[in-house]
Amino acid sequence: MTDLDPFHPDLVMADLPARLQAFNGAGVLSSADIHTARRLARLTGCLDDDVVLGAAFAVRATRFGHVFAQLDQLRDTVTDDDGRVTDLDPAAWPTDLEAWVGTIAASPMVRVHPPERPGGSGRPDPGPPRDEAPPRRQPARPLHLDGRRLYLDRYWRYEHRVAGHIRERLRERDGALTLDQQGRAVLQERMGGDPAQHAAALAALSTSFTVIAGGPGTGKTWVIAQTVSAAASHTSRAGGQPPRIAIAAPTGKAAARLGEQLRDSGHAAADIRPTTLHRLLGWRPNRTRFRHDADNPLPFDLVVVDEVSMVSLAMLSSLLEALERQAHLVLVGDPDQLAAVEAGTVLGDLVVGAGSPRPDAASEPTSQPGPVIKLERGYRFDDRIKAFSWAVRDGDAETAIAALTVDPEDLAGQPLALVVPERPGEWPDRDPALADLRRVITAETTDVIRHAVAGDAASAITAALTVKVLCAHRRGPEGVGVWNATIEGWIHDLPSYRRPEWYPGRPVMITGNDHDLGVYNGDLGVVVAGPNGSRQVVIDGRSGGPIEHRRLGDIQTVHAMTVHKSQGSQFNRVVVVLPAEPSPVLTRELLYTAVTRAKQSVVIVGSPDVLAEAINRPVSRASALPERIGALDSRTVAPAASTSA
């Protein structure tokens, strides 16, 4: 990086020890990583550069979604900020791992923890339950060393708090609500055809902690609707009081989509408006803590959270802290999708940690559902797309690639197709292998424009959600920017500098929340012609009419979008664009998320080799949450085994 741009903002201009300079110049440690580590060292009186190096890696780890830096694996797994494996001089690393760990352990800014015994409390060092006396105050140490894991203090606390709260809920399964016999009969009537769905609803209303895991189309939203409806009509809390219910999601877009689906259910769930987790917990501007916490708990007996795959470890910690002990918590999502942008893979960790056999569990059978219920039966997807997505999920590259029709003559008629570019790495309009794809996309886009010019908002938004290009990268020939510009070039016979910005049929995405307008980050819409030549934007799923385009601030064109931005959305046809060369960004989870956005057909643009490498590369995030949970009570309910519930 030093040779390419000596003034890059990630380069530290000050004099650095040779080891830190090497990692910074290679693009492994950013200026923020190093400056934060050096500041912590100064505050604690640490003078050892090797300890500062470890601290910088602990800071860096959270930027990459890890909860901690795994010191004994850094040499084999480290990449630069763009995910590229770096050609780093081996001499830059500490020569003796054990000596390096020992030096870190002896530092005044590091607290060392003995190995946690199985079945321990899992509580954070300074965070005992509310009814215990606080421990004696100890000197502040911003880093924690647990074996070969080096944590920043807050993430060590997050992990222990989450594990401790879940352990308590798994020990004391009974919740605050009581489901009456009529409610049980109603659930049996409505959900008896799918034993796993039935078990999920019963567990949510009978116990204080339930995880409902399943892929798209397995009925997760249906289970939420039936669970909330039964809770509202057939449960009561102590004293016969009616239940207090909240439904939340990590983003405004996910909350709005869930609310729309619940309204369509026609049951009592339609009366409860989902909100974001931030608003549920009481986000306060310029504050680091939410309004609701252990001292001011949430006033709810049942809290259902959807799209938990996008929830970070920090957010789950805040939610668990704010819940009453006997409140029912129901976490719903797909653990095989992309994880949160921030640190942690909480849904996957919970499925593993609370879904593996309990070491000290009683041997006698039980009719009570376990805390993790997996929904497997699909109801929404084409069978070929479902089989392909499951092969991707399971890492079976051979089966997945065999299911694709390679370079078909009739692209529009194929549910699964692979288009192999002739000129990888060039702009799409220069590749003759993409000519048929161009015709398909242009035809769909022209249809959107036709409805938008006529002012038919409903038809325009329906057509705009028919086909979407999903990219792994934002930049480069296979990135979102190039594909957006290319598609606009296909539909406008004008050079880029003469193309109108607010043309009818322009698909857009909201990139900021506006509560006054009722639009949220991630909402999709389309520009339509309004009265007197005006331009209006109709938003998918938003109640109310179109919005004058000048009232919208944060917005971007989305003929193409990143796979991350597509989470929570569904399209009839999806075009998945792979990079020309294998990329650490392109993982099994990212590909699975992209493919499962499609309802009718999937077109993958890329080479079979890159596709196979993506399927064989699962996301790896450092987290010790599963082992800290300890699986204290974890009978995973499979579809065929849940009838006893």
Side-chain angles (χ1 to χ4, degrees):
M1 189 167 65
T2 306
D3 296 335
L4 293 175
D5 183 1
F7 301 102
H8 194 283
D10 273 340
L11 288 175
V12 178
M13 295 293 108
D15 290 336
L16 289 176
R19 186 161 283 155
L20 289 173
Q21 184 68 58
F23 284 105
N24 182 232
V28 172
L29 294 176
S30 71
S31 58
D33 300 333
I34 292 176
H35 286 313
T36 302
R38 298 183 82 187
R39 178 63 174 166
L40 294 176
R42 286 194 296 271
L43 289 173
T44 55
C46 175
L47 304 177
D48 195 303
D49 293 334
D50 281 351
V51 178
V52 176
L53 177 65
F57 272 111
V59 176
R60 172 190 181 275
T62 61
R63 294 194 295 110
F64 282 77
H66 305 294
V67 180
F68 53 81
Q70 185 72 39
L71 297 178
D72 55 353
Q73 296 178 10
L74 290 176
R75 187 186 293 247
D76 299 324
T77 60
V78 73
T79 64
D80 65 14
D81 274 5
D82 291 326
R84 294 185 296 261
V85 177
T86 58
D87 186 16
L88 193 66
D89 185 352
W93 293 96
T95 54
D96 187 325
L97 173 65
E98 295 304 319
W100 186 30
V101 173
T103 300
I104 292 173
S107 168
M109 68 172 170
V110 177
R111 180 171 296 166
V112 181
H113 299 273
E116 185 177 332
R117 62 183 178 83
S121 69
R123 291 172 184 150
D125 191 16
R130 285 167 249 165
D131 55 357
E132 291 186 10
R136 186 175 60 186
R137 191 171 185 84
Q138 299 181 11
R141 294 176 183 258
L143 296 176
H144 294 255
L145 183 65
D146 191 336
R148 297 293 180 266
R149 304 163 180 158
L150 187 61
Y151 293 80
L152 291 177
D153 177 73
R154 69 168 60 184
Y155 289 95
W156 189 87
R157 293 171 186 268
Y158 289 152
E159 191 170 80
H160 278 256
R161 283 174 180 157
V162 168
H165 282 293
I166 291 175
R167 283 173 183 261
E168 288 183 3
R169 289 179 173 274
L170 293 178
R171 285 192 186 100
E172 304 172 8
R173 296 299 308 283
D174 293 338
L177 300 179
T178 302
L179 179 66
D180 61 31
Q181 290 301 318
Q182 185 180 359
R184 293 180 179 274
V186 168
L187 288 179
Q188 176 64 42
E189 178 183 353
R190 293 178 179 172
M191 312 181 73
D194 189 324
Q197 289 187 356
H198 187 209
L202 284 176
L205 296 174
S206 305
T207 62
S208 62
F209 181 71
T210 306
V211 177
I212 302 174
T218 53
K220 298 189 297 295
T221 303
W222 169 253
V223 172
I224 292 174
Q226 300 307 317
T227 299
V228 172
S229 295
S233 305
H234 299 287
T235 66
S236 60
R237 52 194 172 100
Q241 297 296 315
R244 302 164 297 176
I245 303 171
I247 306 175
T251 66
K253 171 188 173 183
R257 180 59 60 90
L258 178 59
E260 179 185 358
Q261 293 171 329
L262 293 179
R263 287 192 295 273
D264 291 342
S265 71
H267 298 295
D271 298 330
I272 301 174
R273 183 178 180 181
T275 186
T276 64
L277 281 170
H278 283 82
R279 298 189 76 180
L280 178 73
L281 292 170
W283 176 77
R284 297 180 292 179
N286 305 318
R287 302 287 185 92
T288 58
R289 295 187 63 84
F290 293 105
R291 183 164 57 88
H292 290 288
D293 55 17
D295 297 321
N296 181 29
L298 289 165
F300 298 109
D301 307 298
L302 171 63
V303 176
V304 181
V305 183
D306 195 20
E307 297 286 1
V308 178
S309 62
M310 293 191 283
V311 174
S312 67
L313 180 67
M315 179 58 74
L316 183 60
S317 175
S318 296
L319 175 63
L320 288 165
E321 281 283 296
L323 286 174
E324 292 282 6
R325 287 189 178 181
Q326 284 196 304
H328 296 240
L329 176 61
V330 183
L331 302 178
V332 185
D334 185 350
D336 298 306
Q337 285 191 23
L338 286 167
V341 175
E342 299 175 54
T345 54
V346 295
L347 183 58
D349 289 347
L350 293 176
V351 169
V352 173
S356 54
R358 170 186 165 185
D360 58 340
S363 58
E364 63 270 14
T366 177
S367 61
Q368 187 184 51
V372 179
I373 293 91
K374 297 180 180 178
L375 308 181
E376 297 282 359
R377 185 184 300 178
Y379 293 94
R380 186 170 68 202
F381 290 96
D382 178 281
D383 286 342
R384 287 185 60 184
I385 295 178
K386 181 172 68 175
F388 177 73
S389 66
W390 285 3
V392 171
R393 179 195 66 186
D394 297 338
D396 188 349
E398 183 178 355
T399 298
I401 293 175
L404 296 167
T405 302
V406 181
D407 292 329
E409 295 182 3
D410 178 20
L411 186 62
Q414 301 295 327
L416 285 170
L418 176 67
V419 176
V420 183
E422 290 183 13
R423 300 174 182 175
E426 294 192 15
W427 278 59
D429 58 351
R430 299 172 185 168
D431 196 323
L434 304 183
D436 197 21
L437 180 61
R438 172 176 180 171
R439 284 191 291 271
V440 171
I441 293 176
T442 302
E444 300 283 3
T445 307
T446 302
D447 193 40
V448 178
I449 293 175
R450 177 172 59 84
H451 292 300
V453 168
D456 186 349
S459 298
I461 191 64
T462 299
L465 299 177
T466 298
V467 62
K468 196 64 65 181
V469 176
L470 306 182
C471 303
H473 291 171
R474 292 192 302 272
R475 295 180 291 272
E478 300 88 10
V480 168
V482 166
W483 273 86
N484 270 324
T486 296
I487 294 172
E488 288 194 325
W490 289 344
I491 61 177
H492 295 291
D493 190 17
L494 292 170
S496 59
Y497 63 89
R498 293 184 59 192
R499 295 173 196 161
E501 180 181 9
W502 290 99
Y503 58 88
R506 175 193 176 192
V508 295
M509 173 184 284
I510 307 298
T511 57
N513 295 332
D514 189 327
H515 299 292
D516 293 333
L517 291 177
V519 297
Y520 303 96
N521 184 15
D523 280 350
L524 299 177
V526 64
V527 178
V528 298
N532 302 319
S534 64
R535 295 289 182 262
Q536 299 179 329
V537 179
V538 56
I539 303 295
D540 178 43
R542 176 182 176 271
S543 58
I547 304 170
E548 172 65 32
H549 79 278
R550 282 187 287 264
R551 299 184 65 191
L552 294 171
D554 300 322
I555 200 167
Q556 65 185 36
T557 303
V558 286
H559 292 289
M561 61 197 301
T562 62
V563 178
H564 282 84
K565 288 287 189 180
S566 74
Q567 281 186 279
S569 299
Q570 287 290 309
F571 312 100
N572 289 342
R573 184 191 305 275
V574 161
V575 178
V576 183
V577 179
L578 308 183
E581 299 292 335
S583 165
V585 174
L586 183 60
T587 62
R588 179 185 304 166
E589 289 78 6
L590 184 137
L591 184 60
Y592 171 83
T593 302
V595 168
T596 53
R597 300 310 93 201
K599 293 187 285 187
Q600 296 178 3
S601 70
V602 175
V603 177
I604 295 178
V605 179
S607 73
D609 291 341
V610 171
L611 176 60
E613 187 152 341
I615 296 172
N616 291 324
R617 182 189 295 114
V619 166
S620 178
R621 285 190 173 187
S623 170
L625 184 58
E627 64 186 72
R628 296 201 195 283
I629 291 173
L632 291 181
D633 188 3
S634 50
R635 297 171 301 279
T636 300
V637 179
S642 59
T643 54
S644 61

